[in-house]
Coordinates of all heavy atoms in Angstrom, one line a residue:
F4 N 79.0 148.6 138.8 CA 78.6 148.8 137.4 C 78.9 147.5 136.6 O 80.0 147.0 136.6 CB 79.3 150.0 136.8 CG 79.1 150.2 135.4 CD1 77.9 150.2 134.8 CD2 80.2 150.5 134.6 CE1 77.8 150.4 133.4 CE2 80.1 150.8 133.3 CZ 78.9 150.7 132.7
R5 N 77.9 147.0 135.8 CA 78.1 145.8 135.1 C 77.5 146.0 133.7 O 76.4 146.5 133.5 CB 77.4 144.7 135.8 CG 77.5 143.4 135.2 CD 76.9 142.3 136.1 NE 75.5 142.6 136.4 CZ 74.6 141.7 136.3 NH1 74.9 140.5 135.9 NH2 73.3 141.9 136.5
A6 N 78.2 145.6 132.7 CA 77.8 145.7 131.3 C 76.6 144.7 131.1 O 76.7 143.5 131.6 CB 78.9 145.4 130.3
L7 N 75.6 145.1 130.3 CA 74.5 144.2 130.0 C 74.9 143.4 128.8 O 75.6 143.9 127.9 CB 73.3 145.0 129.7 CG 72.7 145.9 130.8 CD1 71.6 146.7 130.3 CD2 72.3 145.0 132.0
S8 N 74.5 142.1 128.8 CA 74.8 141.3 127.6 C 73.8 141.5 126.5 O 72.6 141.9 126.8 CB 74.8 139.8 128.0 OG 73.5 139.4 128.4
T9 N 74.2 141.3 125.3 CA 73.3 141.5 124.2 C 73.2 140.2 123.4 O 74.1 139.4 123.5 CB 73.7 142.6 123.3 OG1 75.0 142.3 122.7 CG2 73.8 144.0 124.0
S10 N 72.2 140.0 122.6 CA 72.1 138.8 121.8 C 72.8 139.0 120.5 O 72.9 138.0 119.7 CB 70.6 138.5 121.6 OG 70.0 139.6 120.9
V11 N 73.3 140.2 120.1 CA 74.0 140.4 118.9 C 75.5 140.2 119.1 O 76.1 140.9 119.9 CB 73.7 141.8 118.3 CG1 74.5 142.1 117.1 CG2 72.3 142.1 118.1
K12 N 76.0 139.3 118.4 CA 77.5 139.0 118.5 C 78.2 140.0 117.6 O 77.8 140.3 116.4 CB 77.8 137.6 118.0 CG 77.3 136.5 119.0 CD 77.7 135.2 118.5 CE 77.2 134.1 119.5 NZ 77.6 132.8 119.1
T13 N 79.3 140.6 118.0 CA 80.1 141.5 117.3 C 81.4 140.9 116.9 O 82.3 141.6 116.5 CB 80.2 142.8 118.0 OG1 80.8 142.6 119.3 CG2 78.9 143.5 118.2
E14 N 81.5 139.6 117.0 CA 82.8 139.0 116.7 C 83.0 139.0 115.2 O 82.0 138.9 114.4 CB 82.8 137.5 117.1 CG 82.6 137.4 118.6 CD 82.2 136.0 119.0 OE1 82.2 135.1 118.2 OE2 81.9 135.8 120.2
P15 N 84.2 139.2 114.7 CA 84.5 139.2 113.2 C 84.2 137.9 112.6 O 84.4 136.8 113.2 CB 85.9 139.6 113.1 CG 86.5 139.3 114.4 CD 85.4 139.4 115.5
L16 N 83.7 137.9 111.4 CA 83.4 136.6 110.7 C 84.6 136.2 109.9 O 85.0 136.7 108.9 CB 82.2 136.9 109.7 CG 80.9 137.2 110.3 CD1 79.9 137.6 109.2 CD2 80.4 135.9 111.0
A17 N 85.2 135.1 110.5 CA 86.4 134.6 109.8 C 86.0 133.8 108.5 O 85.0 133.1 108.5 CB 87.1 133.6 110.8
G18 N 86.7 134.0 107.5 CA 86.5 133.3 106.2 C 85.4 133.9 105.4 O 85.1 133.4 104.3
V19 N 84.8 135.0 105.8 CA 83.8 135.7 105.0 C 84.4 136.9 104.3 O 85.1 137.7 104.9 CB 82.6 136.1 105.8 CG1 81.6 136.9 105.0 CG2 81.9 134.9 106.4
L20 N 84.2 136.9 103.0 CA 84.8 138.0 102.1 C 83.7 138.8 101.6 O 82.8 138.3 100.9 CB 85.7 137.4 101.0 CG 86.3 138.4 100.1 CD1 87.3 139.3 100.8 CD2 87.1 137.6 99.0
V21 N 83.7 140.2 101.8 CA 82.7 141.1 101.3 C 83.4 142.1 100.5 O 84.3 142.8 100.9 CB 81.9 141.8 102.4 CG1 80.9 142.7 101.9 CG2 81.2 140.8 103.3
Y22 N 83.0 142.3 99.2 CA 83.7 143.2 98.3 C 82.8 143.7 97.2 O 81.8 143.1 96.9 CB 85.0 142.6 97.7 CG 84.7 141.4 96.8 CD1 84.7 141.6 95.4 CD2 84.5 140.2 97.3 CE1 84.4 140.5 94.6 CE2 84.3 139.1 96.5 CZ 84.2 139.3 95.1 OH 84.0 138.2 94.3
A23 N 83.1 144.9 96.6 CA 82.4 145.4 95.5 C 83.3 145.3 94.2 O 84.5 145.5 94.3 CB 82.1 146.9 95.8
Y24 N 82.6 145.0 93.1 CA 83.2 144.9 91.8 C 82.2 145.3 90.8 O 81.1 144.7 90.7 CB 83.8 143.5 91.6 CG 84.4 143.3 90.3 CD1 85.7 143.9 90.0 CD2 83.8 142.6 89.2 CE1 86.3 143.7 88.8 CE2 84.5 142.4 88.0 CZ 85.7 143.0 87.8 OH 86.3 142.9 86.6
E25 N 82.6 146.3 90.0 CA 81.8 146.8 88.9 C 80.3 147.1 89.4 O 79.4 146.8 88.7 CB 81.7 145.8 87.7 CG 83.1 145.7 87.0 CD 83.0 144.8 85.8 OE1 82.0 144.2 85.5 OE2 84.1 144.8 85.1
G26 N 80.3 147.8 90.5 CA 79.0 148.3 91.0 C 78.1 147.2 91.8 O 77.1 147.6 92.3
R27 N 78.6 146.0 91.8 CA 77.9 144.9 92.5 C 78.6 144.6 93.8 O 79.8 144.7 93.9 CB 77.8 143.7 91.7 CG 76.8 143.9 90.5 CD 76.6 142.5 89.8 NE 75.6 142.6 88.8 CZ 74.3 142.4 89.1 NH1 73.9 142.2 90.3 NH2 73.4 142.5 88.1
L28 N 77.8 144.1 94.8 CA 78.4 143.7 96.1 C 78.4 142.2 96.2 O 77.4 141.6 95.9 CB 77.5 144.3 97.2 CG 78.1 144.3 98.6 CD1 79.4 145.0 98.7 CD2 77.1 144.9 99.6
Y29 N 79.5 141.6 96.5 CA 79.7 140.1 96.5 C 80.0 139.7 98.0 O 80.7 140.4 98.7 CB 80.8 139.7 95.6 CG 80.5 140.0 94.2 CD1 80.8 141.2 93.6 CD2 79.8 139.0 93.4 CE1 80.5 141.4 92.2 CE2 79.5 139.3 92.0 CZ 79.9 140.5 91.5 OH 79.6 140.7 90.2
V30 N 79.5 138.5 98.3 CA 79.8 137.9 99.6 C 80.3 136.5 99.3 O 79.5 135.7 98.7 CB 78.6 137.9 100.6 CG1 79.0 137.3 101.9 CG2 78.1 139.3 100.8
Q31 N 81.4 136.1 99.8 CA 81.9 134.7 99.7 C 82.2 134.1 101.0 O 82.6 134.8 102.0 CB 83.2 134.7 98.8 CG 83.0 135.1 97.4 CD 84.2 135.0 96.6 OE1 85.3 135.1 97.1 NE2 84.1 135.0 95.3
G32 N 82.0 132.8 101.2 CA 82.3 132.1 102.4 C 81.2 132.2 103.4 O 81.5 131.9 104.6
L33 N 80.1 132.6 103.0 CA 78.9 132.7 103.9 C 78.3 131.4 104.3 O 78.1 130.5 103.4 CB 77.9 133.6 103.2 CG 76.6 134.0 104.0 CD1 77.1 134.8 105.3 CD2 75.7 134.8 103.2
D34 N 78.0 131.2 105.5 CA 77.4 130.0 106.0 C 76.1 130.4 106.8 O 76.2 130.8 107.9 CB 78.3 129.2 106.9 CG 77.7 127.9 107.4 OD1 76.8 127.4 106.7 OD2 78.1 127.5 108.5
G35 N 75.0 130.3 106.1 CA 73.7 130.7 106.7 C 73.2 132.0 106.1 O 73.4 132.2 104.9
V36 N 72.5 132.8 106.9 CA 71.8 134.0 106.4 C 72.6 135.2 106.8 O 73.1 135.3 108.0 CB 70.4 134.1 106.9 CG1 69.7 135.4 106.5 CG2 69.5 132.9 106.5
C37 N 72.8 136.2 105.9 CA 73.5 137.4 106.2 C 72.6 138.6 105.9 O 72.0 138.6 104.8 CB 74.8 137.4 105.3 SG 75.6 139.0 105.4
R38 N 72.5 139.5 106.8 CA 71.9 140.8 106.5 C 72.9 141.8 106.1 O 73.8 142.1 106.9 CB 71.2 141.3 107.8 CG 70.6 142.7 107.7 CD 69.1 142.7 108.0 NE 68.6 144.0 107.9 CZ 67.8 144.4 106.9 NH1 67.4 143.5 106.0 NH2 67.3 145.6 106.8
L39 N 72.8 142.2 104.9 CA 73.8 143.2 104.3 C 73.2 144.6 104.5 O 72.0 144.8 104.1 CB 74.0 143.0 102.8 CG 75.0 141.8 102.5 CD1 75.1 141.6 101.0 CD2 76.4 142.2 103.0
E40 N 74.0 145.5 105.0 CA 73.5 146.9 105.2 C 74.6 147.8 104.6 O 75.8 147.7 104.9 CB 73.3 147.2 106.6 CG 72.3 146.4 107.3 CD 72.3 146.5 108.8 OE1 73.3 146.9 109.4 OE2 71.2 146.3 109.4
V41 N 74.2 148.7 103.7 CA 75.1 149.7 103.1 C 74.8 151.0 103.8 O 73.7 151.5 103.8 CB 74.9 149.8 101.6 CG1 75.8 150.8 101.0 CG2 75.1 148.5 100.9
V42 N 75.9 151.7 104.4 CA 75.7 152.9 105.0 C 76.6 154.0 104.4 O 77.7 153.7 103.9 CB 76.0 152.8 106.6 CG1 75.0 151.9 107.2 CG2 77.4 152.3 106.8
D43 N 76.1 155.2 104.4 CA 77.0 156.3 103.8 C 78.0 156.8 104.8 O 78.1 156.2 105.9 CB 76.1 157.4 103.3 CG 75.3 158.2 104.4 OD1 75.6 158.0 105.6 OD2 74.4 159.0 104.0
V44 N 78.8 157.8 104.4 CA 79.9 158.3 105.3 C 79.4 158.9 106.6 O 80.1 159.0 107.5 CB 80.8 159.2 104.5 CG1 81.6 158.6 103.4 CG2 80.0 160.4 104.0
R45 N 78.1 159.2 106.6 CA 77.5 159.8 107.9 C 76.9 158.7 108.7 O 76.3 159.0 109.7 CB 76.5 160.8 107.5 CG 77.1 162.0 106.9 CD 76.1 163.1 106.7 NE 76.7 164.3 106.2 CZ 76.1 165.3 105.6 NH1 74.8 165.2 105.5 NH2 76.8 166.3 105.1
G46 N 77.0 157.4 108.3 CA 76.4 156.3 109.0 C 74.9 156.0 108.8 O 74.3 155.2 109.5
R47 N 74.3 156.7 107.8 CA 72.9 156.5 107.5 C 72.8 155.3 106.6 O 73.5 155.1 105.6 CB 72.3 157.7 106.8 CG 72.4 159.0 107.6 CD 71.8 160.1 106.9 NE 72.7 160.4 105.8 CZ 72.8 161.5 105.1 NH1 71.9 162.5 105.3 NH2 73.6 161.7 104.1
L48 N 71.8 154.5 106.9 CA 71.5 153.3 106.1 C 70.9 153.7 104.8 O 69.9 154.5 104.7 CB 70.5 152.4 106.9 CG 70.1 151.1 106.2 CD1 71.3 150.1 106.1 CD2 68.9 150.4 106.9
V49 N 71.5 153.3 103.7 CA 71.0 153.7 102.3 C 70.5 152.5 101.5 O 69.7 152.6 100.6 CB 72.1 154.4 101.5 CG1 72.4 155.7 102.2 CG2 73.3 153.6 101.4
A50 N 70.8 151.2 101.9 CA 70.3 150.0 101.2 C 70.6 148.8 102.2 O 71.5 148.8 102.9 CB 71.0 149.8 99.9
S51 N 69.7 147.9 102.0 CA 69.9 146.6 102.8 C 69.2 145.5 102.1 O 68.2 145.7 101.3 CB 69.4 146.8 104.2 OG 68.0 147.0 104.2
T52 N 69.6 144.3 102.4 CA 69.0 143.0 101.9 C 69.5 141.9 102.7 O 70.4 142.0 103.6 CB 69.4 142.8 100.4 OG1 68.6 141.8 99.9 CG2 70.9 142.4 100.3
E53 N 68.9 140.7 102.5 CA 69.3 139.5 103.2 C 69.7 138.5 102.1 O 69.1 138.4 101.1 CB 68.2 138.9 104.1 CG 68.0 139.6 105.3 CD 67.1 138.9 106.3 OE1 66.7 137.8 106.0 OE2 66.9 139.4 107.4
L54 N 70.9 137.8 102.4 CA 71.4 136.8 101.5 C 71.5 135.5 102.3 O 71.8 135.5 103.4 CB 72.7 137.2 100.9 CG 72.8 138.4 100.0 CD1 74.3 138.7 99.7 CD2 72.0 138.2 98.8
E55 N 71.3 134.4 101.6 CA 71.6 133.1 102.2 C 72.8 132.5 101.5 O 73.3 133.0 100.5 CB 70.4 132.1 101.9 CG 69.2 132.5 102.7 CD 68.1 131.5 102.7 OE1 68.4 130.3 102.5 OE2 66.9 131.9 102.7
S56 N 73.4 131.5 102.1 CA 74.6 130.8 101.6 C 74.4 130.6 100.1 O 73.4 130.1 99.6 CB 74.8 129.5 102.2 OG 75.0 129.7 103.6
G57 N 75.4 131.0 99.3 CA 75.4 130.8 97.8 C 74.8 131.9 97.0 O 75.1 132.1 95.9
E58 N 73.9 132.7 97.6 CA 73.2 133.8 96.9 C 74.1 134.9 96.6 O 73.9 135.6 95.6 CB 72.0 134.3 97.7 CG 70.9 133.4 97.7 CD 69.6 134.0 98.4 OE1 69.8 135.0 99.1 OE2 68.6 133.4 98.3
G59 N 75.2 135.2 97.4 CA 76.1 136.3 97.2 C 77.0 136.1 96.1 O 77.7 137.1 95.7
S60 N 77.1 134.9 95.5 CA 78.1 134.7 94.5 C 77.7 135.4 93.2 O 78.5 135.7 92.4 CB 78.2 133.2 94.2 OG 77.0 132.6 93.8
G61 N 76.4 135.7 93.0 CA 75.9 136.4 91.8 C 76.1 137.9 91.9 O 75.9 138.6 90.9
G62 N 76.2 138.4 93.1 CA 76.4 139.8 93.3 C 75.0 140.5 93.5 O 74.0 140.1 92.9
W63 N 75.0 141.5 94.4 CA 73.8 142.3 94.7 C 74.1 143.7 94.2 O 75.2 144.2 94.4 CB 73.5 142.3 96.2 CG 72.5 143.2 96.6 CD1 71.2 143.3 96.1 CD2 72.5 144.2 97.7 NE1 70.5 144.3 96.8 CE2 71.3 144.8 97.7 CE3 73.5 144.5 98.6 CZ2 71.0 145.8 98.6 CZ3 73.3 145.5 99.5 CH2 72.0 146.2 99.5
L64 N 73.2 144.3 93.5 CA 73.3 145.6 92.9 C 72.5 146.6 93.8 O 71.3 146.8 93.5 CB 72.8 145.6 91.5 CG 73.0 146.9 90.7 CD1 74.5 147.3 90.6 CD2 72.4 146.7 89.3
P65 N 73.1 147.2 94.8 CA 72.3 148.2 95.6 C 72.1 149.5 94.8 O 73.0 149.9 94.0 CB 73.2 148.4 96.8 CG 74.6 148.1 96.4 CD 74.5 147.0 95.3
A66 N 71.0 150.1 95.0 CA 70.7 151.4 94.3 C 71.3 152.5 95.1 O 70.6 153.1 95.9 CB 69.2 151.5 94.2
V67 N 72.6 152.8 94.9 CA 73.3 153.8 95.6 C 74.0 154.7 94.5 O 74.4 154.2 93.5 CB 74.3 153.3 96.6 CG1 73.5 152.6 97.7 CG2 75.3 152.4 96.1
A68 N 74.3 155.9 94.9 CA 75.1 156.8 94.0 C 76.5 156.4 94.1 O 77.0 155.8 95.1 CB 74.9 158.3 94.5
P69 N 77.3 156.7 93.1 CA 78.8 156.4 93.2 C 79.4 157.1 94.4 O 79.1 158.2 94.7 CB 79.3 157.0 91.9 CG 78.2 157.0 91.0 CD 77.0 157.3 91.8
G70 N 80.3 156.4 95.1 CA 81.0 156.9 96.2 C 81.5 155.8 97.1 O 81.5 154.6 96.7
I71 N 82.0 156.2 98.3 CA 82.5 155.2 99.3 C 81.5 155.0 100.4 O 80.9 155.9 100.9 CB 83.8 155.8 99.9 CG1 84.9 155.9 98.8 CG2 84.3 154.9 101.0 CD1 86.1 156.6 99.2
Y72 N 81.3 153.7 100.7 CA 80.3 153.3 101.7 C 80.8 152.3 102.6 O 81.8 151.6 102.3 CB 79.1 152.7 100.9 CG 78.3 153.7 100.1 CD1 78.7 153.9 98.8 CD2 77.2 154.3 100.6 CE1 78.0 154.8 98.0 CE2 76.5 155.2 99.8 CZ 76.9 155.5 98.5 OH 76.2 156.3 97.7
G73 N 80.2 152.2 103.8 CA 80.5 151.1 104.7 C 79.5 150.0 104.4 O 78.3 150.2 104.1
V74 N 79.9 148.7 104.5 CA 79.0 147.6 104.3 C 79.1 146.7 105.6 O 80.2 146.3 105.9 CB 79.3 146.8 103.1 CG1 78.4 145.6 102.9 CG2 79.2 147.7 101.8
R75 N 78.0 146.4 106.2 CA 77.9 145.5 107.3 C 77.3 144.2 106.9 O 76.2 144.2 106.3 CB 77.1 146.1 108.5 CG 77.8 147.3 109.1 CD 77.0 147.8 110.3 NE 75.7 148.3 109.9 CZ 75.3 149.5 110.2 NH1 76.1 150.4 110.8 NH2 74.1 149.9 109.8
C76 N 77.9 143.1 107.2 CA 77.4 141.7 107.0 C 77.1 141.1 108.3 O 78.1 140.8 109.1 CB 78.3 140.9 106.1 SG 77.8 139.2 105.9
R77 N 75.8 141.0 108.7 CA 75.5 140.5 110.1 C 74.9 139.1 110.0 O 74.0 138.9 109.2 CB 74.4 141.4 110.7 CG 74.9 142.8 111.0 CD 73.7 143.6 111.5 NE 74.0 145.0 111.6 CZ 74.3 145.6 112.7 NH1 74.3 145.0 113.9 NH2 74.5 146.9 112.7
T78 N 75.5 138.2 110.8 CA 74.9 136.8 110.8 C 74.8 136.5 112.3 O 75.1 137.2 113.2 CB 75.9 135.8 110.2 OG1 77.0 135.7 111.0 CG2 76.3 136.2 108.8
E79 N 74.3 135.3 112.6 CA 74.2 134.8 113.9 C 75.6 134.5 114.5 O 75.7 134.6 115.8 CB 73.4 133.5 114.0 CG 71.9 133.7 113.7 CD 71.1 132.4 113.8 OE1 71.7 131.4 114.1 OE2 69.9 132.5 113.6
Q80 N 76.6 134.3 113.7 CA 77.9 134.0 114.2 C 78.7 135.3 114.5 O 79.7 135.3 115.1 CB 78.7 133.2 113.2 CG 78.2 131.8 113.0 CD 77.0 131.7 112.1 OE1 76.8 132.5 111.2 NE2 76.1 130.8 112.4
G81 N 78.3 136.5 113.9 CA 79.0 137.7 114.2 C 78.8 138.7 113.1 O 77.8 138.6 112.4
M82 N 79.7 139.6 112.9 CA 79.5 140.7 112.0 C 80.9 141.1 111.3 O 81.9 141.0 111.9 CB 79.0 142.0 112.7 CG 78.8 143.1 111.7 SD 77.9 144.5 112.5 CE 79.1 145.0 113.8
K83 N 80.8 141.4 110.0 CA 82.0 141.9 109.3 C 81.6 143.2 108.7 O 80.5 143.4 108.2 CB 82.3 140.9 108.2 CG 83.5 141.3 107.4 CD 84.2 140.2 106.8 CE 85.6 140.5 106.4 NZ 86.5 139.4 106.5
V84 N 82.6 144.2 108.8 CA 82.4 145.6 108.3 C 83.5 145.9 107.4 O 84.7 145.7 107.7 CB 82.3 146.6 109.5 CG1 82.1 148.0 108.9 CG2 81.3 146.2 110.5
V85 N 83.2 146.3 106.2 CA 84.2 146.7 105.2 C 83.8 148.0 104.6 O 82.7 148.5 104.6 CB 84.3 145.6 104.1 CG1 84.8 144.3 104.7 CG2 83.0 145.5 103.3
K86 N 84.8 148.7 104.0 CA 84.6 149.9 103.2 C 84.8 149.6 101.8 O 85.7 148.9 101.4 CB 85.7 150.9 103.6 CG 85.5 152.3 103.0 CD 86.4 153.4 103.5 CE 87.7 153.0 104.1 NZ 88.6 154.1 104.4
V87 N 83.8 150.0 101.0 CA 83.8 149.7 99.5 C 83.5 151.0 98.7 O 83.0 152.0 99.2 CB 82.8 148.7 99.1 CG1 83.0 147.3 99.8 CG2 81.4 149.1 99.4
R88 N 83.9 150.9 97.4 CA 83.6 152.0 96.5 C 82.7 151.5 95.4 O 82.9 150.5 94.8 CB 84.9 152.5 95.9 CG 84.7 153.7 94.9 CD 86.0 154.1 94.2 NE 87.0 154.4 95.2 CZ 87.4 155.7 95.4 NH1 86.8 156.7 94.8 NH2 88.3 155.9 96.3
F89 N 81.6 152.2 95.2 CA 80.7 151.9 94.1 C 80.8 152.9 93.0 O 81.1 154.0 93.2 CB 79.2 151.9 94.6 CG 78.9 150.7 95.5 CD1 78.7 150.9 96.9 CD2 78.7 149.5 95.0 CE1 78.3 149.9 97.7 CE2 78.4 148.4 95.8 CZ 78.2 148.6 97.1

């Protein structure tokens, strides 16, 4: 039995900070393109977008109800997952 390799890296993104403040989602330390995905507590995708280096500094306002969500930031270098409150 041998595990199949995948093209998606799941290594944590060192130096990338993903956080929510006043209803906006911010990404700092991004190098390249990041696919942001917001998932609810059941793991369902509720919002997504793509950001390039420097675009996350202004904040992204996802159309979600107030609550706790998981946020995935996927890049070619790896992935970062955080829990945020909107």
Side-chain angles (χ1 to χ4, degrees):
F4 171 49
R5 182 171 61 128
L7 298 175
S8 65
T9 63
S10 62
V11 177
K12 292 184 180 181
T13 57
E14 300 165 5
L16 291 173
V19 174
L20 179 62
V21 180
Y22 63 97
Y24 179 71
E25 293 186 354
R27 290 187 170 275
L28 193 58
Y29 296 88
V30 180
Q31 293 181 341
L33 184 60
D34 182 27
V36 178
C37 170
R38 172 126 179 109
L39 281 175
E40 300 172 332
V41 179
V42 295
D43 65 12
V44 293
R45 293 185 177 163
R47 297 178 296 195
L48 182 67
V49 294
S51 66
T52 192
E53 283 192 2
L54 296 176
E55 290 189 31
S56 300
E58 288 184 345
S60 60
W63 172 51
L64 184 61
V67 296
I71 297 175
Y72 294 88
V74 177
R75 295 186 290 238
C76 177
R77 297 176 190 256
T78 71
E79 290 182 1
Q80 292 80 34
M82 179 171 66
K83 180 151 196 149
V84 180
V85 296
K86 185 173 22 171
V87 299
R88 180 185 303 256
F89 288 107

